[in-house]
Amino acid sequence: MKKVDVVLGLQWGDEGKGKVVDVLTPNYDVIARFQGGPNAGHSLHFGGEKFVLHTVPSGIFREGSMNIIGNGVVIDPVILAEEIAQIEATGINMVERMKISKRAHLILPTHRALDAASEAAKGKTKIGSTLKGIGPAYMDKTGRNGLRVGDILLPDFMERYQALKDKHLFQLRQYDYQVDVDAYEQEWFRGVESLKRFEFVDSEMLVNGYLQSNTSVLAEGAQGSLLDVDFGTYPYVTSSNTLCAGVCTGLGVAPTRIGEVYGIFKAYCTRVGSGPFPTELFDSTGETLRQVGCEYGATTGRPRRCGWLDLVALKYAVMMNGVTALIMMKSDILNDFDTIKVAVGYQLNGKQVDYFPYEADDTIEPIYREFEGWNCDICNVRDYNDFPQQFKDYVSFIEAECGVPVKIISVGPDREETIIR
Ligand code: GDP
Ligand code: IMO
Ligand code: MG
């Protein structure tokens, strides 16, 4: 019997999960998303083209792969239908290659409106949400009011939709938030209609059946560990469990069925949206990382906040995910730095701490260890032995601190720019 391998982000998202899943897919039969929704933006580069996926699993471009949208995902039919149309334009038969869990929840047009209303009401303390309706949709899921993909086929779907919409309109009036959802609603129903072409499945039965029959499954995470609703920098988080535990609830697999856990991190660190970020740089170095790394959101286009690698936070994420292999992304972005810094501890209320604290706020001061930069272009390296010594020292330090080997290194956005050790 097989186990589910997992790819997930260890920082605040955008670590490069899409690229890695695309690179690893030839080793797997099935790719499954287990949480999040169209707040995700996963970029894939190959053959001189770039694709950004929001809801569709990143295995979709590989022939022979089956892609599953699991029960833990929240779906906006408008965004999913657009994505499907773009992929189908490349000649891929999506209906053959993708199945959707009946238990995945739907994001209604009024969920989006509620997201915007909530953020507007928060003012300065806003989360910096992607405004895709993620929070309100998960609130209706846990509040036991949500609509699920399987409901689309029920004879009273329209009544259920209307009842939930009415509840939302009432809430929007409390916010005193004026919004016209009519245009989006029309598109939404067209999206719902187009999803009916796909097989709605009991994905927990399907996935466990695959494992029984030795079919290999890779679970694709969205967002990152520090955006996890329980262990991230609450309340500046997303509304799902982004950690490995989310694979169990988001696909219906037992903890004993989890195999390899690939934890992805950037060689530095970024965050988009509000909230604590101890190693954030507000100077020209931060700006250089943003420019060289093209650090602008794949979903919203917002500039990403940039800073040095935070090993305290990374070790926290490695621990909670049970990471068995690390993957370091965007190593090439550090090519031209004389000195590279890594946070190895924090100064908090006059005390030195080496753990990620509850009160991870602006009062934290990182304690840095400095490394000599490699100061050369590593984009064309394809064999680990060919990396400069300074680069290898950087990797070895991270491995020693985390107690986990760095098995894959990425030196560019393309599929080919990847070193597997
Ligand atoms: P995801 O959300 O984790 O899938 O990551 P995003 O796609 O949002 O952001 C990662 C960005 O970095 C994308 O634009 C990728 O094409 C790009 N990228 C991924 N790996 C590398 C790398 O090793 N080097 C460079 N320069 N870019 C990379
Ligand atoms: P991928 O999968 C980076 C951030 C938002 C905001 C917070 C809450 O591409 O790594 P939400 O819309 O979920 O209510 O926003 O989470 N966020 C992400 N940041 N990458 C993502 O996804 C993100 N998805 C949500 O910026 O701070
Ligand atoms: Mg992204």
Side-chain angles (χ1 to χ4, degrees), residues 13-19 40-45 50 223 266 292-295 297-298 304 328-333 410-414 417:
D14 302 328
E15 296 90 350
K17 299 173 290 291
K19 168 179 166 163
H42 294 182
S43 321
L44 285 67
H45 288 249
K50 175 179 177 178
Q223 289 82 54
K266 281 181 197 174
V292 179
C294 302
E295 293 296 356
R304 294 175 183 150
M328 187 164 95
M329 309 299 290
K330 303 194 88 160
S331 317
D332 52 305
I333 306 308
S410 176
V411 294
D414 195 90
E417 293 168 309

mmCIF file of all heavy atoms in Angstrom, residues 13-19 40-45 50 223 266 292-295 297-298 304 328-333 410-414 417, ligand 1:
data_model
loop_
_atom_site.group_PDB
_atom_site.id
_atom_site.type_symbol
_atom_site.label_atom_id
_atom_site.label_comp_id
_atom_site.label_asym_id
_atom_site.label_seq_id
_atom_site.Cartn_x
_atom_site.Cartn_y
_atom_site.Cartn_z
ATOM 1 N N GLY A 13 3.962 31.497 2.082
ATOM 2 C CA GLY A 13 3.426 31.262 0.742
ATOM 3 C C GLY A 13 4.378 31.711 -0.346
ATOM 4 O O GLY A 13 5.437 32.301 -0.076
ATOM 5 N N ASP A 14 4.022 31.376 -1.594
ATOM 6 C CA ASP A 14 4.796 31.769 -2.781
ATOM 7 C C ASP A 14 6.229 31.249 -2.764
ATOM 8 O O ASP A 14 7.134 31.870 -3.330
ATOM 9 C CB ASP A 14 4.806 33.302 -2.931
ATOM 10 C CG ASP A 14 3.403 33.859 -3.038
ATOM 11 O OD1 ASP A 14 2.534 33.159 -3.580
ATOM 12 O OD2 ASP A 14 3.174 34.992 -2.577
ATOM 13 N N GLU A 15 6.444 30.116 -2.139
ATOM 14 C CA GLU A 15 7.795 29.545 -2.056
ATOM 15 C C GLU A 15 8.232 28.932 -3.391
ATOM 16 O O GLU A 15 9.428 28.706 -3.616
ATOM 17 C CB GLU A 15 7.852 28.465 -0.965
ATOM 18 C CG GLU A 15 7.603 28.981 0.453
ATOM 19 C CD GLU A 15 6.120 28.944 0.831
ATOM 20 O OE1 GLU A 15 5.284 28.705 -0.077
ATOM 21 O OE2 GLU A 15 5.804 29.164 2.008
ATOM 22 N N GLY A 16 7.231 28.614 -4.236
ATOM 23 C CA GLY A 16 7.549 27.957 -5.519
ATOM 24 C C GLY A 16 6.937 26.562 -5.592
ATOM 25 O O GLY A 16 7.441 25.687 -6.298
ATOM 26 N N LYS A 17 5.818 26.384 -4.885
ATOM 27 C CA LYS A 17 5.172 25.064 -4.817
ATOM 28 C C LYS A 17 4.726 24.585 -6.205
ATOM 29 O O LYS A 17 4.874 23.420 -6.543
ATOM 30 C CB LYS A 17 3.953 25.126 -3.870
ATOM 31 C CG LYS A 17 4.336 25.499 -2.453
ATOM 32 C CD LYS A 17 3.111 25.721 -1.588
ATOM 33 C CE LYS A 17 2.316 26.972 -1.935
ATOM 34 N NZ LYS A 17 2.992 28.242 -1.616
ATOM 35 N N GLY A 18 4.189 25.530 -7.005
ATOM 36 C CA GLY A 18 3.711 25.162 -8.340
ATOM 37 C C GLY A 18 4.829 24.568 -9.172
ATOM 38 O O GLY A 18 4.683 23.505 -9.779
ATOM 39 N N LYS A 19 5.982 25.231 -9.183
ATOM 40 C CA LYS A 19 7.111 24.730 -9.968
ATOM 41 C C LYS A 19 7.520 23.336 -9.494
ATOM 42 O O LYS A 19 7.732 22.432 -10.299
ATOM 43 C CB LYS A 19 8.314 25.688 -9.853
ATOM 44 C CG LYS A 19 9.556 25.026 -10.413
ATOM 45 C CD LYS A 19 10.835 25.799 -10.423
ATOM 46 C CE LYS A 19 11.968 24.790 -10.705
ATOM 47 N NZ LYS A 19 13.215 25.379 -11.138
ATOM 48 N N ALA A 40 -4.594 31.164 -3.761
ATOM 49 C CA ALA A 40 -3.304 30.643 -4.220
ATOM 50 C C ALA A 40 -3.011 31.099 -5.640
ATOM 51 O O ALA A 40 -3.920 31.313 -6.437
ATOM 52 C CB ALA A 40 -3.330 29.108 -4.178
ATOM 53 N N GLY A 41 -1.734 31.252 -5.937
ATOM 54 C CA GLY A 41 -1.287 31.523 -7.305
ATOM 55 C C GLY A 41 -0.005 30.735 -7.494
ATOM 56 O O GLY A 41 1.018 31.085 -6.930
ATOM 57 N N HIS A 42 -0.088 29.638 -8.231
ATOM 58 C CA HIS A 42 1.066 28.753 -8.398
ATOM 59 C C HIS A 42 1.582 28.856 -9.829
ATOM 60 O O HIS A 42 0.884 28.527 -10.781
ATOM 61 C CB HIS A 42 0.667 27.300 -8.067
ATOM 62 C CG HIS A 42 0.304 27.112 -6.617
ATOM 63 N ND1 HIS A 42 -0.050 25.904 -6.072
ATOM 64 C CD2 HIS A 42 0.254 28.003 -5.592
ATOM 65 C CE1 HIS A 42 -0.300 26.064 -4.789
ATOM 66 N NE2 HIS A 42 -0.133 27.322 -4.465
ATOM 67 N N SER A 43 2.825 29.346 -9.967
ATOM 68 C CA SER A 43 3.376 29.612 -11.306
ATOM 69 C C SER A 43 4.189 28.435 -11.818
ATOM 70 O O SER A 43 4.992 27.860 -11.086
ATOM 71 C CB SER A 43 4.286 30.837 -11.280
ATOM 72 O OG SER A 43 3.757 31.839 -10.449
ATOM 73 N N LEU A 44 3.983 28.142 -13.095
ATOM 74 C CA LEU A 44 4.721 27.067 -13.768
ATOM 75 C C LEU A 44 5.356 27.640 -15.027
ATOM 76 O O LEU A 44 4.690 28.350 -15.787
ATOM 77 C CB LEU A 44 3.763 25.939 -14.182
ATOM 78 C CG LEU A 44 3.236 24.986 -13.107
ATOM 79 C CD1 LEU A 44 2.326 25.688 -12.134
ATOM 80 C CD2 LEU A 44 2.506 23.829 -13.752
ATOM 81 N N HIS A 45 6.628 27.350 -15.233
ATOM 82 C CA HIS A 45 7.328 27.799 -16.447
ATOM 83 C C HIS A 45 7.871 26.586 -17.183
ATOM 84 O O HIS A 45 8.596 25.797 -16.596
ATOM 85 C CB HIS A 45 8.552 28.670 -16.083
ATOM 86 C CG HIS A 45 8.207 30.021 -15.563
ATOM 87 N ND1 HIS A 45 8.451 31.164 -16.270
ATOM 88 C CD2 HIS A 45 7.655 30.405 -14.404
ATOM 89 C CE1 HIS A 45 8.063 32.210 -15.564
ATOM 90 N NE2 HIS A 45 7.571 31.779 -14.419
ATOM 91 N N LYS A 50 4.502 30.644 -19.441
ATOM 92 C CA LYS A 50 4.226 30.714 -18.007
ATOM 93 C C LYS A 50 2.731 30.529 -17.786
ATOM 94 O O LYS A 50 1.909 31.100 -18.509
ATOM 95 C CB LYS A 50 4.674 32.077 -17.469
ATOM 96 C CG LYS A 50 4.325 32.279 -16.009
ATOM 97 C CD LYS A 50 4.793 33.611 -15.452
ATOM 98 C CE LYS A 50 4.329 33.753 -14.013
ATOM 99 N NZ LYS A 50 4.771 34.982 -13.377
ATOM 100 N N GLN A 223 -0.646 28.257 0.071
ATOM 101 C CA GLN A 223 -0.172 29.176 1.115
ATOM 102 C C GLN A 223 1.076 28.598 1.795
ATOM 103 O O GLN A 223 1.790 27.849 1.150
ATOM 104 C CB GLN A 223 -1.280 29.460 2.147
ATOM 105 C CG GLN A 223 -2.422 30.324 1.612
ATOM 106 C CD GLN A 223 -3.452 29.545 0.811
ATOM 107 O OE1 GLN A 223 -4.005 28.569 1.284
ATOM 108 N NE2 GLN A 223 -3.729 29.973 -0.401
ATOM 109 N N LYS A 266 12.075 29.561 0.296
ATOM 110 C CA LYS A 266 12.948 30.399 -0.535
ATOM 111 C C LYS A 266 14.265 30.589 0.203
ATOM 112 O O LYS A 266 14.275 30.585 1.442
ATOM 113 C CB LYS A 266 12.329 31.792 -0.725
ATOM 114 C CG LYS A 266 11.244 31.819 -1.765
ATOM 115 C CD LYS A 266 10.685 33.226 -1.941
ATOM 116 C CE LYS A 266 9.363 33.131 -2.665
ATOM 117 N NZ LYS A 266 8.648 34.370 -2.786
ATOM 118 N N VAL A 292 15.025 41.828 -8.077
ATOM 119 C CA VAL A 292 15.718 40.686 -8.691
ATOM 120 C C VAL A 292 14.818 39.450 -8.649
ATOM 121 O O VAL A 292 14.753 38.665 -9.592
ATOM 122 C CB VAL A 292 17.068 40.419 -7.982
ATOM 123 C CG1 VAL A 292 17.777 39.224 -8.596
ATOM 124 C CG2 VAL A 292 17.959 41.653 -8.045
ATOM 125 N N GLY A 293 14.095 39.293 -7.535
ATOM 126 C CA GLY A 293 13.246 38.110 -7.380
ATOM 127 C C GLY A 293 11.878 38.252 -8.023
ATOM 128 O O GLY A 293 11.057 37.344 -7.920
ATOM 129 N N CYS A 294 11.611 39.393 -8.668
ATOM 130 C CA CYS A 294 10.282 39.665 -9.260
ATOM 131 C C CYS A 294 9.205 39.368 -8.234
ATOM 132 O O CYS A 294 8.258 38.604 -8.503
ATOM 133 C CB CYS A 294 10.022 38.827 -10.506
ATOM 134 S SG CYS A 294 11.231 39.057 -11.782
ATOM 135 N N GLU A 295 9.348 39.895 -7.052
ATOM 136 C CA GLU A 295 8.452 39.555 -5.953
ATOM 137 C C GLU A 295 7.179 40.402 -5.982
ATOM 138 O O GLU A 295 7.008 41.354 -5.215
ATOM 139 C CB GLU A 295 9.194 39.669 -4.612
ATOM 140 C CG GLU A 295 10.300 38.635 -4.444
ATOM 141 C CD GLU A 295 9.824 37.177 -4.412
ATOM 142 O OE1 GLU A 295 8.603 36.929 -4.450
ATOM 143 O OE2 GLU A 295 10.680 36.281 -4.349
ATOM 144 N N GLY A 297 2.863 39.598 -6.294
ATOM 145 C CA GLY A 297 1.925 38.490 -6.116
ATOM 146 C C GLY A 297 1.402 37.909 -7.421
ATOM 147 O O GLY A 297 1.015 38.647 -8.327
ATOM 148 N N ALA A 298 1.363 36.562 -7.501
ATOM 149 C CA ALA A 298 0.872 35.878 -8.699
ATOM 150 C C ALA A 298 -0.656 35.976 -8.804
ATOM 151 O O ALA A 298 -1.217 35.838 -9.881
ATOM 152 C CB ALA A 298 1.308 34.407 -8.684
ATOM 153 N N ARG A 304 5.523 42.024 -2.946
ATOM 154 C CA ARG A 304 5.737 41.195 -1.755
ATOM 155 C C ARG A 304 6.772 41.852 -0.859
ATOM 156 O O ARG A 304 7.741 42.438 -1.355
ATOM 157 C CB ARG A 304 6.215 39.803 -2.165
ATOM 158 C CG ARG A 304 5.162 39.003 -2.927
ATOM 159 C CD ARG A 304 5.733 37.667 -3.408
ATOM 160 N NE ARG A 304 4.775 36.916 -4.205
ATOM 161 C CZ ARG A 304 5.111 36.067 -5.185
ATOM 162 N NH1 ARG A 304 6.378 35.871 -5.483
ATOM 163 N NH2 ARG A 304 4.185 35.426 -5.859
ATOM 164 N N MET A 328 15.030 24.019 -1.529
ATOM 165 C CA MET A 328 15.376 25.444 -1.489
ATOM 166 C C MET A 328 15.157 26.081 -2.861
ATOM 167 O O MET A 328 15.720 25.639 -3.864
ATOM 168 C CB MET A 328 16.827 25.657 -1.048
ATOM 169 C CG MET A 328 17.150 27.129 -0.849
ATOM 170 S SD MET A 328 18.651 27.396 0.096
ATOM 171 C CE MET A 328 19.822 27.584 -1.227
ATOM 172 N N MET A 329 14.329 27.115 -2.879
ATOM 173 C CA MET A 329 13.943 27.779 -4.127
ATOM 174 C C MET A 329 14.626 29.144 -4.262
ATOM 175 O O MET A 329 15.051 29.747 -3.281
ATOM 176 C CB MET A 329 12.428 28.015 -4.160
ATOM 177 C CG MET A 329 11.596 26.776 -3.865
ATOM 178 S SD MET A 329 11.839 25.443 -5.033
ATOM 179 C CE MET A 329 11.074 26.114 -6.512
ATOM 180 N N LYS A 330 14.651 29.615 -5.486
ATOM 181 C CA LYS A 330 15.093 30.977 -5.808
ATOM 182 C C LYS A 330 16.494 31.282 -5.280
ATOM 183 O O LYS A 330 16.794 32.410 -4.887
ATOM 184 C CB LYS A 330 14.059 32.010 -5.309
ATOM 185 C CG LYS A 330 12.671 31.748 -5.912
ATOM 186 C CD LYS A 330 11.705 32.879 -5.753
ATOM 187 C CE LYS A 330 11.778 33.888 -6.867
ATOM 188 N NZ LYS A 330 10.573 34.716 -6.972
ATOM 189 N N SER A 331 17.346 30.261 -5.288
ATOM 190 C CA SER A 331 18.724 30.418 -4.825
ATOM 191 C C SER A 331 19.450 31.455 -5.682
ATOM 192 O O SER A 331 20.298 32.207 -5.185
ATOM 193 C CB SER A 331 19.461 29.085 -4.946
ATOM 194 O OG SER A 331 18.644 28.037 -4.503
ATOM 195 N N ASP A 332 19.082 31.520 -6.975
ATOM 196 C CA ASP A 332 19.744 32.430 -7.923
ATOM 197 C C ASP A 332 19.532 33.898 -7.565
ATOM 198 O O ASP A 332 20.319 34.756 -7.972
ATOM 199 C CB ASP A 332 19.204 32.173 -9.339
ATOM 200 C CG ASP A 332 17.685 32.201 -9.412
ATOM 201 O OD1 ASP A 332 17.049 31.438 -8.647
ATOM 202 O OD2 ASP A 332 17.125 33.004 -10.198
ATOM 203 N N ILE A 333 18.501 34.196 -6.791
ATOM 204 C CA ILE A 333 18.214 35.602 -6.467
ATOM 205 C C ILE A 333 19.313 36.178 -5.554
ATOM 206 O O ILE A 333 19.523 37.386 -5.492
ATOM 207 C CB ILE A 333 16.808 35.741 -5.818
ATOM 208 C CG1 ILE A 333 15.745 35.107 -6.716
ATOM 209 C CG2 ILE A 333 16.466 37.188 -5.505
ATOM 210 C CD1 ILE A 333 15.744 35.584 -8.163
ATOM 211 N N SER A 410 16.481 24.891 -6.471
ATOM 212 C CA SER A 410 15.973 25.534 -7.678
ATOM 213 C C SER A 410 16.794 26.787 -7.939
ATOM 214 O O SER A 410 17.049 27.582 -7.031
ATOM 215 C CB SER A 410 14.494 25.873 -7.478
ATOM 216 O OG SER A 410 14.003 26.577 -8.586
ATOM 217 N N VAL A 411 17.225 26.951 -9.208
ATOM 218 C CA VAL A 411 18.075 28.095 -9.568
ATOM 219 C C VAL A 411 17.461 28.944 -10.680
ATOM 220 O O VAL A 411 18.147 29.736 -11.324
ATOM 221 C CB VAL A 411 19.492 27.623 -9.977
ATOM 222 C CG1 VAL A 411 20.230 27.016 -8.796
ATOM 223 C CG2 VAL A 411 19.435 26.626 -11.146
ATOM 224 N N GLY A 412 16.165 28.765 -10.912
ATOM 225 C CA GLY A 412 15.469 29.548 -11.931
ATOM 226 C C GLY A 412 14.030 29.063 -12.020
ATOM 227 O O GLY A 412 13.703 27.988 -11.521
ATOM 228 N N PRO A 413 13.150 29.861 -12.665
ATOM 229 C CA PRO A 413 11.732 29.494 -12.689
ATOM 230 C C PRO A 413 11.400 28.290 -13.573
ATOM 231 O O PRO A 413 10.380 27.635 -13.369
ATOM 232 C CB PRO A 413 11.043 30.754 -13.230
ATOM 233 C CG PRO A 413 12.116 31.564 -13.869
ATOM 234 C CD PRO A 413 13.410 31.186 -13.225
ATOM 235 N N ASP A 414 12.242 27.983 -14.548
ATOM 236 C CA ASP A 414 11.901 26.919 -15.491
ATOM 237 C C ASP A 414 12.051 25.538 -14.856
ATOM 238 O O ASP A 414 12.879 25.325 -13.973
ATOM 239 C CB ASP A 414 12.802 27.007 -16.732
ATOM 240 C CG ASP A 414 12.251 26.184 -17.879
ATOM 241 O OD1 ASP A 414 11.462 26.757 -18.658
ATOM 242 O OD2 ASP A 414 12.577 24.987 -17.973
ATOM 243 N N GLU A 417 15.520 24.253 -14.569
ATOM 244 C CA GLU A 417 16.480 24.910 -13.669
ATOM 245 C C GLU A 417 16.344 24.344 -12.252
ATOM 246 O O GLU A 417 16.051 25.055 -11.291
ATOM 247 C CB GLU A 417 16.252 26.425 -13.706
ATOM 248 C CG GLU A 417 16.620 26.993 -15.078
ATOM 249 C CD GLU A 417 16.151 28.417 -15.296
ATOM 250 O OE1 GLU A 417 14.968 28.721 -15.069
ATOM 251 O OE2 GLU A 417 16.988 29.235 -15.709
HETATM 252 P P1 GDP B 1 3.824 29.231 -5.210
HETATM 253 O O1 GDP B 1 2.602 30.003 -4.834
HETATM 254 O O2 GDP B 1 4.477 28.597 -4.027
HETATM 255 O O3 GDP B 1 3.580 28.233 -6.300
HETATM 256 O O4 GDP B 1 4.859 30.296 -5.776
HETATM 257 P P2 GDP B 1 4.519 31.511 -6.798
HETATM 258 O O5 GDP B 1 4.326 30.929 -8.142
HETATM 259 O O6 GDP B 1 3.449 32.366 -6.259
HETATM 260 O O7 GDP B 1 5.842 32.369 -6.680
HETATM 261 C C1 GDP B 1 7.077 31.843 -6.993
HETATM 262 C C2 GDP B 1 7.667 32.694 -8.136
HETATM 263 O O8 GDP B 1 9.033 32.414 -8.256
HETATM 264 C C3 GDP B 1 7.080 32.355 -9.489
HETATM 265 O O9 GDP B 1 7.072 33.512 -10.268
HETATM 266 C C4 GDP B 1 8.035 31.317 -10.029
HETATM 267 O O10 GDP B 1 8.033 31.272 -11.433
HETATM 268 C C5 GDP B 1 9.342 31.836 -9.531
HETATM 269 N N1 GDP B 1 10.362 30.820 -9.242
HETATM 270 C C6 GDP B 1 10.219 29.589 -8.715
HETATM 271 N N2 GDP B 1 11.417 29.028 -8.487
HETATM 272 C C7 GDP B 1 12.327 29.919 -8.869
HETATM 273 C C8 GDP B 1 13.772 29.945 -8.831
HETATM 274 O O11 GDP B 1 14.436 29.010 -8.385
HETATM 275 N N3 GDP B 1 14.380 31.064 -9.309
HETATM 276 C C9 GDP B 1 13.689 32.129 -9.793
HETATM 277 N N4 GDP B 1 14.361 33.185 -10.206
HETATM 278 N N5 GDP B 1 12.344 32.147 -9.817
HETATM 279 C C10 GDP B 1 11.686 31.068 -9.346
#
